[in-house]
Amino acid sequence: MTEDEAARRSGAAASTTDATAEAAVLAWRAAEPGAVLLDGFHALKHALRFGGRVRTAVSSDKAAVLGLAAELAPDLTGELAERVTQIPAATLRTLVTRVHPTAVAALADRRDRAADLAELARLPRQAPVVVLDSPRNLGNVGAVIRLAAGFGVTGVVTTGDLDPWHPNALRSGAGLHYATAVERTDPDALPPGPLYVLDPEGKDIRSVGLPDDALIVFGSERHGVSAGLRARAAELVALPMRPQVSSYNLATSVGMALYHWAATSRSPRVPGTL
């Protein structure tokens, strides 16, 4: 091959690469309205693994993404090779507010709200619903969703102003929104089921069984559960805590309560149940 031929082929390859990257950016811009941001490898991995509809995925280091897949998600290596488009690092920085250390981002549809609400309302229920009453911190919301997915509960419902599908919640939840029903509702529109409200004045949770159809309600660290939901409680329950300690982190509280449910329930939804 002559130097001129090599140069022509190299130029053609570069032109193809540039066109592919440009097409990926156009697809991103078209998908952006109404889509949610999957920020980082784990968010994209879990969205694909749990049936999320991923519209477009881009990376400034596709080889590194596929290396992570080979190590952490070999079941998705082929799919990621097909879906992820390489784009320049400078271009990726124009698409996202902050580039994730794994240098990959994607846009996807939310789970279907009507289907989620139907799933949350369906009785009998084999696993509780976690209710976050007016949470204040999106990172905590995501951490709770990650816990809920791991414990196999029916879903997570929030009240208040925060969107549980905000990119910051998706980031801290590692995309596990696609593994469980996640919705925001008014306090008066919660799914059916008895309310077990976490409250310092409640019974020690170790003395209370959390039924599979329970709504386990948590307030924020500072304000607790609203008076309206507290008044509707079938039971107030408290986590054991050393005197003079103000509170646990929200995600820690949820993890303790869900572990208590899993340790005492005979539901087939409990992880590890044979």
Side-chain angles (χ1 to χ4, degrees), residues 1 22 36 41 57 96 134 145 179 183:
M1 181 186 301
E22 184 178 354
V36 295
F41 175 79
V96 296
S134 294
I145 291 165
E183 295 295 340

Side-chain angles (χ1 to χ4, degrees), residues 98 110 132 134-147 156 158-175 177 182 184 220-221 249-251:
R98 178 177 50 150
R110 296 187 183 214
L132 304 182
S134 294
R136 301 292 197 272
N137 184 285
L138 287 163
N140 278 341
V141 171
V144 167
I145 291 165
R146 193 168 183 172
L147 280 165
V156 177
T158 66
T159 68
D161 297 330
L162 292 190
D163 179 7
W165 283 84
H166 187 280
N168 289 351
L170 276 153
R171 184 182 181 121
S172 62
H177 292 59
V182 177
R184 175 172 53 171
S220 65
E221 290 97 329
N249 171 269
L250 175 61

Side-chain angles (χ1 to χ4, degrees), residues 1 13 48 52 68 70 80 84 92 96 121 130 145 155 172 194 206 210 218 225 236 242 268:
M1 181 186 301
L48 292 174
L68 279 174
L80 287 167
V84 176
L92 179 58
V96 296
V130 172
I145 291 165
S172 62
R206 292 169 293 185
L210 297 176
F218 301 84
V225 175
L236 299 178
R242 180 181 178 181

